[in-house]
Each structure stands twice: as C-alpha cells, then as structure tokens.
Amino acid sequence: MARDTRTKATELLTVRQVLDELGGISRRTFYRWRELRIAPACIRLPNGELRVRRDVLDEWLEERAEGAAP
C-alpha cells in the first residue's frame, strides 16, 4: 500500500493533464502563469516537454484554497 501512495505522489503529469485537472484552463493561461511565476513548479524533460509532479500540483492547489492559512 505504501508503494501505491509513493507512486501516486511522484506521478508526473503532462501539461494537458494539469489543464484538465484545473477545470480546462487554456494552455495559454498556464504558460502565462509560468511567466508570472505563479504556476505549479514544472520539470523540463530532456526532450523539452514539461511535467508537473502530482504532489506538487496537490500542494499548489491546497495553498490556493480559500481560507487557507498564509
């Protein structure tokens, strides 16, 4: 069971998967957020594609929840 949790936490999401999880925001909005440094941290693969770790996205979303502690 611990392995499943660890695998899920380190899952690498594509930009498309992140966009879908965020309610279908546009790719342009996501890249604008990256320019403004407000997007979740990304990993750039050797082929130039971006990935976002599942745990990083979950933490990023939690930080933006209304009523979250500063």
Side-chain angles (χ1 to χ4, degrees):
M1 193 70 155
R3 180 174 165 81
D4 291 338
T5 303
R6 188 172 51 242
T7 301
K8 177 93 171 155
T10 59
E11 176 185 11
L12 295 177
L13 303 171
T14 64
V15 171
R16 170 57 45 208
Q17 289 171 312
V18 172
L19 300 179
D20 290 344
E21 289 228 10
L22 295 177
I25 66 164
S26 72
R27 185 173 291 270
R28 181 175 181 172
T29 295
F30 180 79
Y31 281 99
R32 178 72 175 140
W33 288 353
R34 281 186 41 84
E35 288 174 14
L36 297 171
R37 299 190 182 277
I38 59 173
C42 296
I43 298 168
R44 185 170 299 279
L45 299 177
N47 65 2
E49 291 183 11
L50 296 176
R51 296 291 186 271
V52 177
R53 284 182 25 193
R54 162 62 63 194
D55 58 339
V56 169
L57 179 62
D58 290 344
E59 183 177 317
W60 183 84
L61 287 170
E62 187 66 32
E63 290 170 357
R64 279 145 188 82
E66 289 198 16

